[in-house]
Amino acid sequence: MSTVTTAPQRAGRGPVTELLLGGGRARRITWLVVAAFVLVSAVRVISGEQALTSSSTISAALLLAVPIGLAALGGLFSERAGVVNIGLDGMMTLGTWGAGFAGYQWGWSAALLGGVLFGALGGLLHALATVTFGVDHVVSGVAINILAAGVVRFLSELFYTDNPAGGGVTQSPSLSSDPPDFSVPVLSSGPDLLGHLERLNWFLVSDVAGVLRGLTSGVGLLTLLAVLLVPASYLLLWRTAFGLRLRSCGENPAAADSLGVPVYRLKYIAVLISGALAGMGGVFLVFIAGIYREGQTNGRGFIGLAALIFGNWRPGGLAAGAGLFGYADALQLRSRSAVVALFLLLAVLLAGVAVWQAVHRRAVRAVIAGAVAVGSLVAFLSIDELAPGLVSFTPHLTTLLVLSLASQRLRPPKAVGLVYRRGEN
């Protein structure tokens, strides 16, 4: 006899248990992740490209995913409150300059505070334009991106030209101190057991060792903070009264207002948090380089927005999107030939999609997926190494492909992007 989990039973789990277990959906996602990992391991064995799951690739992927994930988290707070934030990249830019300015004078902790503060100032400007004055959200965000680039150039010319500590119109002096990092005990200290298992190149075992070694060795303090912010954001937005009120502003602000929810105030708070998190992503970029440089974000704010959409405006989903882009970026940096192995991975995935579509009697989609799968297999068998220009574009192609596959299940907040005025429908 089948059993049904009742509402009291679900309520009795508690937020942490619900987050970790999450019912049937979490189990499906877990099995999907396990299946994907086994597939990547098999592709690594078949292709002989050890970089696919090497600890160096995973470590680089984590570093590259963190700023994107922080920008996406910033977009989550803003858009869940109903405010589209196209200006994430500009807020990240402000964060990089604030981190560089404070960091070279007072160290890494001041850099973190300075970057968050400058990013929040960008968020405040966006909130003022969209919430108070009713400016179109996209127009305001684009204006902030343009304005941020000009502001940081002006500030650099003002503070760094002829600065005794160094720097110039396009960069700051070096940070006076570096943030601490650590390795997880047992896994990454003492004898290098994980490194030994990784070098054996065994199916699945070496891949697990490589991933664990990459995720637990030399982890920075800000990296750990960024990872912890993902479940913290879930608990805040979905398990507290504050989060419920904030999300109601993005679904039906008029109804929320009629129930006494301070819609304008919560929108301001959400966009300020959004700017602060984007600024924190800029701080991370400065920590990696040890210095502020003009153009340091390189469009990561826009990729963070894409990760947010891929994740269906959910913390776990956007973290997966950021991780996917970070992995693709790290792989193209580590090995040009390993990128070719992704064609085999793509061929297997699309073959599965073709079978799924055929079972559900969607002939046209099945044929298209099958044809692309065959083309990917041919590319894997015939190409030894991609041209540098194509390799560098791999992360963007990955993002476009994943977004196109996930687009049919997206469900944004209903009132996102709409200008709200009390008393108006």
Side-chain angles (χ1 to χ4, degrees):
M1 183 176 64
S2 62
T3 60
V4 178
T5 304
T6 63
Q9 288 174 324
R10 289 195 299 268
R13 287 178 176 176
V16 177
T17 306
E18 190 73 26
L19 173 62
L20 295 176
L21 298 179
R25 181 178 179 180
R27 284 194 294 271
R28 289 194 298 271
I29 292 175
T30 300
W31 282 113
L32 184 62
V33 170
V34 171
F37 187 80
V38 172
L39 179 59
V40 172
S41 179
V43 170
R44 194 265 307 169
V45 173
I46 295 172
S47 65
E49 294 292 345
Q50 309 306 325
L52 286 174
T53 57
S54 68
S55 57
S56 59
T57 300
I58 301 303
S59 180
L62 183 62
L63 287 176
L64 294 167
V66 165
I68 296 170
L70 286 171
L73 273 179
L76 174 70
F77 276 88
S78 178
E79 300 205 2
R80 277 294 176 179
V83 180
V84 173
N85 195 351
I86 300 293
L88 288 170
D89 198 71
M91 296 170 195
M92 285 187 76
T93 299
L94 292 173
T96 58
W97 195 91
F101 178 75
Y104 91 87
Q105 299 183 84
W106 303 296
W108 69 268
S109 56
L112 177 58
L113 182 61
V116 169
L117 178 61
F118 268 70
L121 288 175
L124 177 62
L125 180 61
H126 188 48
L128 186 67
T130 57
V131 180
T132 301
F133 295 107
V135 176
D136 182 89
H137 298 188
V138 175
V139 172
S140 174
V142 172
I144 287 175
N145 289 331
I146 297 172
L147 182 63
V151 166
V152 296
R153 168 57 75 96
F154 170 76
L155 292 175
S156 294
E157 291 179 351
L158 184 64
F159 289 100
Y160 298 148
T161 303
D162 300 325
N163 191 318
V169 294
T170 60
Q171 67 180 44
S172 70
S174 299
L175 299 184
S176 60
S177 63
D178 295 323
D181 56 29
F182 62 93
S183 296
V184 177
V186 180
L187 289 178
S188 299
S189 60
D192 191 11
L193 176 61
L194 291 177
H196 174 69
L197 291 174
E198 181 186 355
R199 288 188 290 271
L200 292 175
N201 296 329
W202 290 346
F203 172 67
L204 209 57
V205 175
S206 296
D207 302 292
V208 172
V211 171
L212 289 177
R213 189 174 180 226
L215 294 177
T216 58
S217 301
V219 180
L221 183 63
L222 190 54
T223 301
L224 178 62
L225 177 61
V227 171
L228 293 177
L229 279 174
V230 174
S233 298
Y234 171 82
L235 294 174
L236 179 63
L237 289 175
W238 273 269
R239 297 298 176 180
T240 67
F242 168 80
L244 177 62
R245 294 188 183 103
L246 187 146
R247 288 186 292 117
S248 70
C249 296
E251 296 292 339
N252 194 332
D257 203 354
S258 68
L259 295 174
V261 175
V263 174
Y264 291 124
R265 185 196 310 165
L266 286 175
K267 284 180 178 287
Y268 260 89
I269 291 172
V271 182
L272 280 172
I273 294 174
S274 178
L277 288 170
M280 190 183 294
V283 174
F284 193 85
L285 296 174
V286 173
F287 281 175
I288 292 176
I291 194 173
Y292 156 77
R293 288 192 180 92
E294 192 175 273
Q296 207 161 18
T297 62
N298 197 26
R300 286 180 173 86
F302 298 107
I303 300 299
L305 192 62
L308 171 65
I309 297 171
F310 163 77
N312 210 6
W313 290 267
R314 291 271 182 167
L318 67 86
L324 178 65
F325 185 89
Y327 175 75
D329 203 3
L331 192 62
Q332 62 95 7
L333 291 174
R334 293 293 175 186
S335 173
R336 287 168 56 187
S337 59
V339 176
V340 179
L342 294 180
F343 282 115
L344 177 59
L345 180 63
L346 182 62
V348 176
L349 289 175
L350 289 177
V353 171
V355 172
W356 174 267
Q357 299 289 3
V359 169
H360 288 78
R361 299 181 180 179
R362 298 167 184 166
V364 175
R365 296 181 183 180
V367 170
I368 292 174
V372 178
V374 171
S376 299
L377 181 61
V378 171
F380 168 72
L381 295 174
S382 60
I383 299 175
D384 294 325
E385 193 173 280
L386 288 175
L390 290 176
V391 171
S392 63
F393 199 60
T394 300
H396 304 83
L397 289 175
T398 303
T399 303
L400 290 172
L401 176 63
V402 171
L403 282 176
S404 63
L405 292 176
S407 61
Q408 298 182 14
R409 293 183 176 271
L410 297 180
R411 196 275 184 193
K414 290 183 180 179
V416 67
L418 301 180
V419 176
Y420 172 69
R421 285 291 175 265
R422 183 177 289 120
E424 297 179 4
N425 291 329

